[in-house]
Amino acid sequence: MSEYVIEMLNITKEFPGIKANDNITLQLKHGEVHALLGENGAGKSTLMSVLFGLYQPEAGTIKKDGKVVKINNPNDANALHIGMVHQHFKLVEIFTVLDNIILGAEPNKMGFLKKAEARKKVLELSEKYGLQVDPDAKIEDISVGMQQRVEILKMLYRDNDILIFDEPTAVLTPQEIDELMEIMRNFTKEGKSILFITHKLNEIMAVADRCTVLRKGKYMGTVDIKNTTKEELSRMMVGRDVEFEVAKGEQHLGDVVLDVQNVTVPSKLHSNNAVKDVSFQVHAGEIVCLAGIEGNGQTQFVYALTGLDKMSHGKITLCGKDITKAKIRDRSKLGMSHIPEDRHKHGLVLDFSLEQNLVLQRYWEPAFQKAGFIRGKEVRKYADKLIKEYDIRSGQGPVTTARSMSGGNQQKAIVAREIDKNPELLVAVQPTRGLDVGAIEGVHKQLVAQRDAGKAVLLVSLELEEVMSVPDRILVMYEGEIVGEFNPKEVTVEELGLYMAGAKNMYREVGVGTQGQEKEGEQA
């Protein structure tokens, strides 16, 4: 038997204006976790899409167990026991969780669907691997993190033994990430082989055996994890040293920009409220982070705050003006920018060009329209400026269709558009999701720059490192309520984790206590 279960030899894949993969070789050993690392747009997802049959390469050979194979489509890949968890989920939103998992592999007898068997297998898999889901929930009604679980279960349901994970932790909580790392280790003990695309160097160091690095579509080398460091990997990836610490100067608080009073938002999944009587303020010149485990009301609160959904009770004031019932455009005009959690659903029009997406929130301004007609030259000039400033990479520059861009560069486009509006309040939800370490460094600097310019920033993040290093103040949300308020310089990760898990509640029974300190009456 060959040493390698999969060999991708001299793979070249081109798109209009760009060579996404330029003569790349990758070899996956039996029973190993092999990380694939690179900047946004380096060609990682493209290479894995070639292996999964979504793209056909212009040159190169693929071998499985030493034998040349031809993978024309995902069905061919599944027949070879190759499965893939995609960075951008391939789910039918109006279908249930169960229907999505079994789609294309439905168990049947004499043409009749045997859903009971499928349900049993899905529940057994979810229990075995700690990926609990509600099989009857519709995809459109569940969180992004829950959709990720569905994608993983789709692959497990098909009994695949070569598993491709494309940014699988981008939408998971720290606890879920730890669980996934353990699941991946268990997969390899069962004889499965894993290709793991990630930008998170800590994850690579924790779980991978080897790592292949790509830069701008070219192969930079393969290293054994036990013989390398995070710093060496980051240099291979971006070609320079990266600052891992967030540098912040002294804080200068200004007036209240955002005032949230007793906001309550009903749940679409059950009779309870998703957000319960939430109140807080964000001042000019500060970054406030809303932290919590996925599914504790952060998404529903942001939807109500930004106008994507209605609330049943409460009041929201922006720069002294009541925006409780204001339309999304009016909130934008009053000074609110929003980097959304789901970039495809709420951040971009995927079939529009990059330049069109960059003026989505501003096309009606005189700079971009005259007498009702878009000023194409001005839009192009503006797009070129943002592309250069934010290092947005695409095959055809401003005319590139947003759908064809890598996930990280789609995210850069949204960040550029929302920050360049010069908002009074920036609502940044998972702003570094899917970004490489170099781009994350850039986004963090932009958030701090907004704060230093006297703007208010509301950061919603699941990344504990980001939660601890970027904000000036942390609010923890659990089951739709604010249960704690902390100074990141004074609280520990362990204490924060207890509040996020619901083991403690600073405000229960006794009201608000001193920041970051426990008071009598807390539940532990």
Side-chain angles (χ1 to χ4, degrees):
M1 181 183 288
S2 171
E3 179 185 3
Y4 301 108
V5 62
I6 288 291
E7 294 177 83
M8 303 185 74
L9 307 174
N10 310 112
I11 300 295
T12 295
K13 177 62 188 171
E14 297 182 36
F15 297 105
I18 190 170
K19 189 175 282 190
N21 295 149
D22 187 358
N23 193 34
I24 292 175
T25 291
L26 182 147
Q27 295 169 307
L28 174 67
K29 293 181 179 179
H30 290 270
E32 79 164 338
V33 177
H34 192 120
L36 189 57
L37 179 66
E39 290 181 285
N40 300 125
K44 307 180 300 298
S45 294
T46 299
L47 187 66
M48 292 301 95
S49 294
V50 168
L51 178 58
F52 194 59
L54 292 170
Y55 296 143
Q56 296 303 307
E58 276 68 46
T61 303
I62 299 175
K63 292 182 179 181
K64 182 173 188 288
D65 294 322
K67 297 178 181 178
V68 175
V69 294
K70 179 67 174 173
I71 305 175
N72 294 308
N73 53 56
N75 288 332
D76 289 347
N78 277 314
L80 293 166
H81 299 289
I82 300 171
M84 183 170 181
V85 176
H86 300 271
Q87 180 181 5
H88 298 124
F89 311 136
K90 309 293 185 184
L91 300 172
V92 183
E93 292 208 341
I94 60 171
F95 281 16
T96 66
V97 166
L98 179 62
D99 289 339
N100 270 278
I101 291 172
I102 68 175
L103 188 62
E106 300 90 341
N108 68 87
K109 186 174 184 180
M110 298 179 66
F112 291 94
L113 185 62
K114 302 180 71 175
K115 254 190 180 178
E117 287 186 12
R119 175 187 291 270
K120 182 181 178 183
K121 182 175 179 179
V122 168
L123 291 175
E124 287 175 351
L125 287 169
S126 66
E127 180 67 27
K128 179 179 179 180
Y129 294 109
L131 297 166
Q132 277 71 27
V133 294
D134 177 0
D136 298 314
K138 286 188 176 180
I139 296 298
E140 63 185 356
D141 293 331
I142 63 177
S143 68
V144 177
M146 199 60 68
Q147 291 177 33
Q148 176 71 276
R149 293 185 182 190
V150 176
E151 282 283 17
I152 295 172
L153 284 167
K154 272 173 61 179
M155 186 170 62
L156 297 174
Y157 180 81
R158 287 157 177 76
D159 301 318
N160 293 313
D161 55 23
I162 298 160
L163 312 179
I164 305 168
F165 287 87
D166 189 356
E167 298 287 352
T169 65
V171 294
L172 300 183
T173 65
Q175 291 88 341
E176 289 170 331
I177 290 172
D178 290 339
E179 290 169 5
L180 181 61
M181 297 295 105
E182 188 59 33
I183 288 167
M184 291 170 71
R185 293 185 191 99
N186 290 335
F187 282 159
T188 58
K189 291 176 184 176
E190 294 175 4
K192 299 181 188 297
S193 304
I194 296 174
L195 284 162
F196 177 36
I197 302 175
T198 183
H199 296 109
K200 299 177 182 178
L201 299 174
N202 287 336
E203 294 173 6
I204 292 176
M205 302 303 292
V207 77
D209 299 298
R210 292 190 301 150
C211 178
T212 291
V213 182
L214 306 183
R215 191 196 307 166
K216 296 183 179 178
K218 294 183 181 293
Y219 173 78
M220 302 306 295
T222 298
V223 296
D224 287 322
I225 295 303
K226 63 178 179 291
N227 297 327
T228 191
T229 64
K230 286 198 305 180
E231 289 73 19
E232 288 176 8
L233 287 174
S234 66
R235 276 194 294 271
M236 287 179 70
M237 177 171 61
V238 301
R240 62 176 175 84
D241 290 328
V242 175
E243 293 179 21
F244 291 97
E245 297 293 326
V246 179
K248 287 190 299 182
E250 186 179 345
Q251 183 184 14
H252 300 285
L253 274 183
D255 296 334
V256 173
V257 173
L258 175 67
D259 189 5
V260 176
Q261 293 297 326
N262 310 112
V263 167
T264 298
V265 182
S267 171
K268 293 182 178 180
L269 297 179
H270 46 70
S271 58
N272 296 328
N273 289 318
V275 180
K276 306 167 187 173
D277 200 34
V278 164
S279 299
F280 65 88
Q281 295 178 331
V282 184
H283 292 75
E286 78 168 334
I287 302 173
V288 174
C289 180
L290 196 60
I293 296 171
E294 175 86 15
N296 277 278
Q298 307 97 308
T299 296
Q300 291 83 357
F301 172 78
V302 170
Y303 282 7
L305 173 62
T306 57
L308 288 169
D309 215 340
K310 294 180 180 179
M311 57 193 199
S312 58
H313 180 71
K315 181 180 180 181
I316 301 175
T317 304
L318 177 64
C319 298
K321 297 183 179 179
D322 187 347
I323 62 166
T324 306
K325 297 182 179 180
K327 296 178 181 179
I328 294 175
R329 180 183 289 194
D330 292 334
R331 296 178 199 228
S332 178
K333 287 181 175 180
L334 283 170
M336 180 186 291
S337 278
H338 177 209
I339 300 170
E341 175 183 24
D342 189 332
R343 55 179 167 249
H344 281 186
K345 195 171 184 179
H346 297 125
L348 299 165
V349 181
L350 291 172
D351 292 318
F352 279 16
S353 67
L354 173 56
E355 63 184 1
Q356 289 171 324
N357 275 285
L358 289 173
V359 295
L360 272 183
Q361 299 274 12
R362 303 181 64 179
Y363 66 87
W364 58 80
E365 295 179 4
F368 303 118
Q369 66 89 23
K370 186 176 182 181
F373 292 92
I374 298 294
R375 301 174 67 185
K377 289 184 179 179
E378 295 305 315
V379 170
R380 178 69 52 82
K381 183 178 176 182
Y382 177 71
D384 285 336
K385 177 179 84 80
L386 292 192
I387 288 169
K388 183 177 180 181
E389 286 182 9
Y390 289 83
D391 190 27
I392 306 169
R393 300 179 188 179
S394 58
Q396 297 172 287
V399 300
T400 304
T401 303
R403 186 184 300 278
S404 69
M405 295 166 58
S406 73
N409 281 293
Q410 291 175 347
Q411 187 74 3
K412 286 184 186 180
I414 296 169
V415 170
R417 180 186 69 209
E418 298 303 319
I419 289 180
D420 201 70
K421 284 167 55 185
N422 193 29
E424 295 303 316
L425 171 69
L426 175 62
V427 182
V429 187
Q430 292 288 88
T432 57
R433 177 190 166 198
L435 296 183
D436 61 65
V437 289
I440 289 171
E441 175 192 34
V443 170
H444 287 167
K445 286 181 177 178
Q446 290 285 352
L447 296 180
V448 173
Q450 289 292 299
R451 167 236 204 210
D452 292 346
K455 309 297 184 180
V457 179
L458 178 63
L459 171 67
V460 182
S461 179
L462 302 176
E463 302 283 351
L464 268 179
E465 286 186 22
E466 192 166 68
V467 170
M468 294 298 290
S469 62
V470 175
D472 302 297
R473 191 155 51 98
I474 302 170
L475 303 175
V476 177
M477 183 174 272
Y478 176 72
E479 291 188 347
E481 298 179 284
I482 303 294
V483 297
E485 179 177 334
F486 304 94
N487 182 333
K489 295 179 181 178
E490 298 172 1
V491 71
T492 65
V493 171
E494 292 75 19
E495 185 178 9
L496 202 63
L498 288 173
Y499 281 88
M500 290 170 68
K504 293 186 178 183
N505 187 331
M506 183 184 294
Y507 303 137
R508 189 174 293 145
E509 297 179 9
V510 294
V512 179
T514 306
Q515 259 197 8
Q517 295 181 349
E518 299 175 27
K519 291 187 66 178
E520 184 180 355
E522 287 179 346
Q523 178 180 330

